[in-house]
Amino acid sequence: MDNLLGECLGTMVLIVFGCGVCANMSLTQSKGNGGGWICIATGWGFAVTLGVFTATTLGAPQGDLNPAVTLAKTMAGIYTPIQFVMTSAIQVLGAIIGAAIVWLAYLPHWAKTKDPGTKLGVFATGPAIRSPIANFLCETIATFFLMFVIWMIFSKPVGNLVPGYGPYIVGVLIWALGLSLGGPTGYAMNPARDFGPRLAHAILPIAGKGGSDWGYAWVPIVGPLCGGALAYIVATACGVL
C-alpha cells in the first residue's frame, strides 16, 4: 500500500513541477512567459528529482513515477505483472491530480491565453513535425536511453552511490535528455506523464480549451513502453542485469 501511495504522490509532485514549468513558460501574462526550452528541460529535471524523493519517502522503494520504467523493472523480476498494472494505474492517477493542481495554480491565465494548442501543451506532449512513425521512434529512442542509462547508473560498481544521491543523477539524466532528444516530440518518455494530464485537460473546465489530440496520444504511451522494454533487453545482453 505504501508503494502505491508513494508512486501516486510522487507522480503528482512530478507533474506539478513539470507541467507547472510548461505553464509558466507559455501562458499569457505569466511572469516566466517566453523563458524557453532550456527552462522547461531544467524544470522537468528538477521535477523528477523531487518526485522521486517524495515517492521514496512515502514508502515506494523504487520511485519509478513512470509505467515505462515499471515495465522494464517488471521484465527484470522486480515487480509481478499485477503489481505493474496497479503501479501504472496509480501513477496515472497521481498525474491527473498534479495536472489539476497546475490548472488551479494558473487559473486566471487560461482565459488570457488565446491559443488552445498552447493550453494543451501545458498538459500533454505534441510533435514539432507530425509524423507518427518518426514521433514513435523518437519517443522509443529517448525512453531507451532513459532506462538504459538508469541501469548503468545503478549497476555495480557505479551503483554504490551514497544514499539519497541517485535521484539527483536521474534528474540530470532527464535534463540531458530534454536538451538532446526533446525537440521532436517534447520527450514524454512516460505514459503516465502524458496520458494523465491529457485526460485532465479533457475533463477540466479550462477556459477556451480545444481538443485533447487523442489521435496522437498513442505515441507517448506505446513509444515509451517499447523503449523501456528495449532497454531491458540491451542491458541484459550487455551483462548488466
Side-chain angles (χ1 to χ4, degrees), residues 84-156:
F84 163 69
V85 172
M86 293 178 63
T87 302
S88 298
I90 208 70
Q91 289 162 348
V92 171
L93 176 61
I96 293 171
I97 296 169
I101 291 171
V102 171
W103 168 64
L104 289 171
Y106 284 87
L107 197 58
H109 294 267
W110 305 106
K112 295 288 186 180
T113 303
K114 301 306 179 185
D115 179 28
T118 298
K119 298 172 190 181
L120 175 60
V122 170
F123 296 94
T125 62
I129 298 173
R130 188 172 291 264
S131 175
I133 298 303
N135 304 149
F136 166 79
L137 285 173
C138 182
E139 284 292 338
T140 300
I141 291 166
T143 312
F144 167 81
F145 281 100
L146 168 66
M147 196 64 224
F148 184 74
V149 176
I150 285 175
W151 291 128
M152 300 303 108
I153 291 169
F154 292 100
S155 67
K156 296 180 180 179

Side-chain angles (χ1 to χ4, degrees), residues 130-229:
R130 188 172 291 264
S131 175
I133 298 303
N135 304 149
F136 166 79
L137 285 173
C138 182
E139 284 292 338
T140 300
I141 291 166
T143 312
F144 167 81
F145 281 100
L146 168 66
M147 196 64 224
F148 184 74
V149 176
I150 285 175
W151 291 128
M152 300 303 108
I153 291 169
F154 292 100
S155 67
K156 296 180 180 179
V158 181
N160 295 323
L161 299 173
V162 175
Y165 188 63
Y168 291 107
I169 299 300
V170 175
V172 169
L173 172 59
I174 298 297
W175 187 16
L177 285 164
L179 294 175
S180 300
L181 297 174
T185 62
Y187 79 129
M189 303 188 301
N190 182 341
R193 172 265 174 272
D194 193 90
F195 177 66
R198 193 183 298 270
L199 185 58
H201 174 271
I203 62 179
L204 289 171
I206 301 168
K209 71 176 179 179
S212 301
D213 195 12
W214 290 107
Y216 179 78
W218 70 273
V219 172
I221 295 175
V222 180
L225 291 173
C226 290

Side-chain angles (χ1 to χ4, degrees), residues 4-77:
L4 296 180
L5 176 64
E7 289 288 345
C8 182
L9 296 186
T11 308
M12 177 195 72
V13 169
L14 165 70
I15 297 302
V16 167
F17 285 92
C19 290
V21 73
C22 292
N24 192 22
M25 295 304 106
S26 60
L27 295 182
T28 300
Q29 292 185 232
S30 171
K31 290 184 180 291
N33 184 275
W37 187 252
I38 292 177
C39 293
I40 290 174
T42 305
W44 276 104
F46 292 161
V48 169
T49 296
L50 299 172
V52 171
F53 274 125
T54 300
T56 54
T57 297
L58 293 175
Q62 299 296 317
D64 297 346
L65 318 181
N66 183 343
V69 173
T70 305
L71 174 62
K73 292 181 178 180
T74 300
M75 296 173 70

